[in-house]
Each structure stands twice: as C-alpha cells, then as structure tokens.
Amino acid sequence: MLIFLYGSLRDPVLLGQIAGDPRIGQTVRPARLPGWSRVHIGAWRARYASVIRSPGSEVAGFVARLTATAHLRLIAYEGSAYELQRVRALVDGRPYRVGVWVARAVTRRAWVEPTDPARVRLERSATRHA
C-alpha cells in the first residue's frame, strides 16, 4: 500500500523506526496531494497536522510503500485520533490511489512551517503524527 506522508513521518529515519523496518524509508518519493490543505489540529500550541479538502490547494509531501506489518504499526501509532482515507495523489506527475491519515477533529487554521532551527528540532522531537 502507498501512503501519503505530510507531517513528521516525512523523515525517512523516523518512518522506518515507527514502521519497524528501516527499509520503508528507502521507498519514500516526493508527491503532491491536490485539492487538500495542511492544517493544525489540537491546541493552539500543538504542532500536530492534518489535511482537509480544499479545492485549488495542494499539499507537498511524500509517498512510501508499506508492508502489511508496517501498515499495522502505523495504525497503532496514529491511534484513534486519525482515520485512513483513500485519495488521489500525484507521484512523478501521475495519479495514484494512496492512503492518507486524516484527523477526526481539525481546525481550518493554516499550517505554517517553523523557521527557527532550534524550534524545528524541538518540534520534530515532540511531534507524533504524520
């Protein structure tokens, strides 16, 4: 199964650790999710992301090919706060059906990438979700 990654699991090392197989990180390829936007979820200070349908928008991320075991491990990692939806992503300009984790409760507050290197390191260590 191909999975679209737009949050902390874009890091191939972290993805391999969570999936229980470092080779999963070697399958990562750039991808885009047209018709979706990345947004914040949770409290104002939280740095958890989700995606929402948003015509005319696009989320940059990656796709990775998951084994059955890795898929089960990611289900456990994401927990009940996220559900896996099947969507169309563009990989190398071609459409693919992929899974994407979508939070069950989201805001419409646009995602802003952190720019301070110290904050980026802190948030990468604290962020749990895709």
Side-chain angles (χ1 to χ4, degrees):
M1 162 181 219
L2 281 177
I3 187 96
F4 183 83
L5 307 167
Y6 57 86
S8 60
L9 291 179
R10 292 178 294 177
D11 178 342
V13 173
L14 179 61
L15 174 62
Q17 290 171 344
I18 300 299
D21 184 349
R23 295 172 299 176
I24 299 290
Q26 297 169 2
T27 71
V28 171
R29 297 170 54 197
R32 296 173 305 164
L33 195 59
W36 293 77
S37 291
R38 188 162 49 156
V39 295
H40 287 274
I41 64 169
W44 279 98
R45 294 183 186 259
R47 294 295 298 181
Y48 301 120
S50 187
V51 291
I52 59 170
R53 291 194 184 276
S54 179
S57 297
E58 183 174 87
V59 177
F62 296 94
V63 291
R65 185 162 303 281
L66 299 182
T67 62
T69 301
H71 182 222
L72 292 174
R73 288 179 62 112
L74 286 181
I75 289 171
Y77 173 77
E78 294 296 352
S80 62
Y82 286 81
E83 65 182 342
L84 188 61
Q85 295 184 11
R86 299 290 285 175
V87 298
R88 184 181 63 88
L90 297 176
V91 182
D92 297 326
R94 294 190 313 257
Y96 286 84
R97 294 287 292 169
V98 301
V100 65
W101 293 104
V102 178
R104 295 178 190 276
V106 299
T107 68
R108 296 202 180 276
R109 195 164 39 96
W111 183 266
V112 177
E113 288 290 344
T115 55
D116 175 30
R119 184 172 177 181
V120 170
R121 281 191 302 277
L122 175 65
E123 289 175 356
R124 281 187 182 154
S125 67
T127 302
R128 283 194 57 237
H129 298 286

